Each structure stands twice: as structure tokens, then as C-alpha cells.
Amino acid sequence: MRFIHIADVHLGARPDAGPLYSEGRARELWETFEHVLGVCEEEQTDLLLIAGDLFHRQPLVRELKEADYLFSELTHTKVVLIAGNHDYIGKNSNYRTFRWSENVYPLFGETMQYADFPELDTAVYGLSYHSREITEPLYNHVRAAGVRRHEILLAHGGDDRHIPFDRRKLGGAGFDYIALGHIHKPQVLERDRIIYAGALEPADRNDTGPHGYVKGEITNQGVRTEWVPCASREYIHLSVEVGAEDTTGSVARHIWKLTDEHGNQNIYKIVLKGKRDPEVRFDVSRMAGGRNILEIVDETGPAYDFERLYAEHADTILGRYIGRFRGCREGSTEYEALCEGVEALLESRRQ
């Protein structure tokens, strides 16, 4: 029995996308979703497992119709899904009344239920969110019922506010495979058995790293899985170390080189680190250079020679100020106050 496990697709989201991709990024979530369905069709995958948050919010009827049409085009694959904390089944949720195609098996109950596939000798278990948060450890008491030879659990959560669980209890619940959702970074809790597929596409600027889906097979010898990257682009955070010789222009060219190396299809946050010439002020607005950069954060400090300044200005306000902070540790709050105070005092001298 072959399956594909996806989670946290977040259709309908409008992710942070930067100047180059902001108009099309929401569409890319759908396109990557369609790509996975294309893989299901091409490989005649038996089950598509969706471990919550197919949608970013309460889905609109037209969005449900679009997704269901794509599912209905699958000639072999059965689709099993649960609702997560984003697309939870609220009082007026369109999930409650929508009629899915015959190859779609929603597990939308608040308590555990299962979809039975006798032709695959497989049962898939799951429950859905009916509120944004569930703090009870519902999965700690779940057990495979033994209705079929192969049994799978769809589960969404894993933090304090979203169905926390004990990994050991989950591992001992008797399931061949546990398809997890909610955590956006792919993670393996137990090799080939308990896996967070991660978000199909990154939906937030802090959603860094590669994203994709799990492809698996259950045989009489057990379960084998592989993680397949498929996201159209990544969020990448880069630290750029600067020195006292750097200017806005030199730092910009270093940033451009780095983004070229990491791929111009990706979306970047840049953090400037290190010590700059005290006379230099970086103009971060000039540093993007047409690259897809969401944000440039300047965390540099001035490269002051405090001992020299103290010796030259010992009898002035500047010298006495430096003297009050002598011996403070670089990076401490006191050191930051020293730099800011010295910068202000030197600036006042220039005026």
C-alpha cells in the first residue's frame, strides 16, 4: 500500500513574499498542492493523507469546490483528511455541509473515527479540531483497534495549546504509521513511523528551511518512507558580518553575492552583524538591489577605540561617561548604553 502524507498546506493564506513574489505567492500554494496531486495520479498512489490545515482559515465554499474538483480528478487515489487548528470545524464551517467526491474521506468528528479500505487491508484513524485550541492530550489514549492489517493515524498538534502528546505513548499505540501535522518544519520522531511532513510550502517568513511531503509504502516487511522536497521557494535568514572598512555599497554587493549563491528564487531576511566605522551609517534601503529581500536588519555597532577616546577626553563629559562603563562586557546592556552614549556625545560635538 503506497501513500503520500502532506500537512499544513494553508490554501488561502497570503504569505510574506517580498517585492518580487507578493502578487503570486498565494497562487503558488495551490500550484504546489496540485503538483502533489499530479504525483499521486502519475504513481497511482493508494492514499493521500492530509494531516490538518488544508486551508489557512475557515474555507469558503468556492475553495472547497476547487479542492474537491482536484481530488475528483484522481483515478486511483483515496483522500483522507482531518481539520486542524486553522481550518477547524466552527459552528458555521462550510466543512459541516459540503459534499465531497466519493474518493474523499473526511474524518471530521471531535472523537476518534476511522475510514476503512478493505481492498488495501488498511484503516486510517483521525479526529478534527472543532475549536482553535485543544489542550487535552487526546492522542495519549488512542489505540489501533485492529480492524485491518495495516492501520494509520492522522494527528494534528504537539504543543501545549494544540493536543500535546507523549511521544512514547503515541509510539506504543499500535499504528503502522502516524502522519503528523501542525509543526511546519519536517521532523522524524521515529524513523519511518512517526513523522511531521512539515508545511507543503512555507507560509511565514520564519518558516525557514526546505518544505515538502512524505512518500511511503507499507508492506509485510514494514514501513518505508522518504521525504520529498517540493516547495517552489524557501525563506532563508542570512547573517552578514561587516567590518570597519565596509560601506553601504560593499555590504550590498556582499548581500547580492550571497543571495545569488543561495538562489534568487528564495526569499530573504538579512541581519547585519559586526563593527562598522563610527562615521558610517548603513542605508539598508539601498541594499536590496532587486533581490527578493523581505527585511534587512542592522545590528552592527560602531567600532570605537574606547581606551583612546578615554585617554584623549579624560577631563570632559565624554571621558567621564566612558569611565563609568570601563570594564563592561561587550554585548551586554551596559555596553550598548556605552556605545549609544558615546555616539550621541560625539554627534553633539560635530554640531
Side-chain angles (χ1 to χ4, degrees):
M1 192 280 290
R2 293 179 298 170
F3 65 86
I4 283 179
H5 160 205
I6 64 175
D8 302 287
V9 185
H10 289 283
L11 299 175
R14 293 192 171 275
D16 298 326
L20 301 187
Y21 304 119
S22 58
E23 292 301 315
R25 187 70 183 124
R27 184 184 67 250
E28 287 179 345
L29 303 186
W30 282 91
E31 291 173 348
T32 300
F33 175 56
E34 291 186 52
H35 166 75
V36 173
L37 297 181
V39 174
C40 288
E41 180 65 14
E42 180 180 348
E43 299 186 358
Q44 293 290 280
T45 303
D46 296 306
L47 292 177
L48 173 62
L49 309 170
I50 305 177
D53 286 351
L54 175 60
F55 294 95
H56 188 60
R57 44 165 168 68
Q58 300 288 289
L60 303 174
V61 172
R62 65 173 179 268
E63 293 173 323
L64 289 170
K65 288 184 175 181
E66 289 292 340
D68 186 60
Y69 168 74
L70 297 173
F71 292 148
S72 72
E73 289 285 284
L74 297 170
T75 60
H76 179 80
T77 306
K78 307 291 195 304
V79 180
V80 190
L81 72 154
I82 60 174
N85 60 296
H86 276 266
D87 59 353
Y88 70 96
I89 302 174
K91 181 180 179 181
N92 299 312
S93 172
N94 291 315
Y95 271 148
R96 292 182 177 271
T97 56
F98 188 75
R99 298 191 63 175
W100 296 92
S101 296
E102 61 181 12
N103 66 326
V104 181
Y105 298 78
L107 300 176
F108 285 167
E110 288 187 80
T111 57
M112 195 61 60
Q113 56 188 139
Y114 67 87
D116 187 18
F117 302 99
E119 70 279 14
L120 301 174
D121 205 4
T122 299
V124 180
Y125 295 70
L127 58 81
S128 285
Y129 282 65
H130 284 237
S131 60
R132 293 181 187 275
E133 297 181 0
I134 302 176
T135 57
E136 295 81 12
L138 301 179
Y139 300 129
N140 285 352
H141 310 293
V142 173
R143 294 292 180 272
V147 297
R148 292 295 172 190
R149 181 178 185 131
H150 306 303
E151 299 193 305
I152 294 171
L153 174 65
L154 288 183
H156 189 91
D159 62 36
D160 291 342
R161 296 185 300 159
H162 305 96
I163 315 187
F165 59 77
D166 184 312
R167 185 185 304 184
R168 289 174 300 175
K169 290 182 178 179
L170 201 60
F175 294 100
D176 295 89
Y177 182 74
I178 298 175
L180 294 173
H182 181 62
I183 304 301
H184 284 197
K185 292 183 183 297
Q187 297 180 36
V188 176
L189 303 190
E190 184 178 324
R191 182 178 176 181
D192 288 328
R193 282 197 62 234
I194 308 176
I195 300 177
Y196 281 104
L200 199 57
E201 281 272 353
D204 179 87
R205 67 177 61 196
N206 294 315
D207 226 353
T208 56
H211 290 77
Y213 61 91
V214 176
K215 183 187 294 186
E217 182 178 20
I218 301 178
T219 68
N220 292 333
Q221 285 71 48
V223 185
R224 293 183 302 173
T225 64
E226 64 173 311
W227 186 81
V228 182
C230 71
S232 55
R233 56 193 93 253
E234 295 180 27
Y235 291 102
I236 298 177
H237 295 184
L238 295 175
S239 291
V240 175
E241 197 71 25
V242 306
E245 71 284 356
D246 276 309
T247 64
T248 294
S250 67
V251 174
R253 281 157 181 76
H254 185 44
I255 290 172
W256 302 344
K257 180 181 178 183
L258 283 176
T259 55
D260 288 347
E261 290 172 353
H262 284 81
N264 288 314
Q265 79 279 9
N266 295 315
I267 305 170
Y268 294 91
K269 175 182 177 180
I270 309 295
V271 180
L272 306 183
K273 303 276 191 179
K275 298 295 182 183
R276 55 175 166 75
D277 186 323
E279 300 297 323
V280 169
R281 297 293 182 273
F282 292 133
D283 183 357
V284 296
S285 66
R286 289 174 47 203
M287 292 181 177
R291 272 65 174 179
N292 201 52
I293 297 174
L294 281 173
E295 183 181 15
I296 300 176
V297 180
D298 185 359
E299 294 184 357
T300 62
Y304 290 120
D305 184 342
F306 290 114
E307 290 303 316
R308 180 183 63 79
L309 286 172
Y310 179 73
E312 292 177 356
H313 302 279
D315 297 327
T316 68
I317 294 175
L318 175 61
R320 290 194 292 273
Y321 185 82
I322 295 172
R324 289 186 59 187
F325 290 93
R326 293 185 81 185
C328 68
R329 179 175 52 85
E330 188 171 340
S332 66
T333 303
E334 291 81 6
Y335 187 82
E336 291 180 11
L338 171 61
C339 291
E340 291 176 5
V342 168
E343 187 170 18
L345 289 169
L346 289 174
E347 187 65 31
S348 68
R349 285 170 169 265
R350 298 187 188 101
Q351 295 175 356

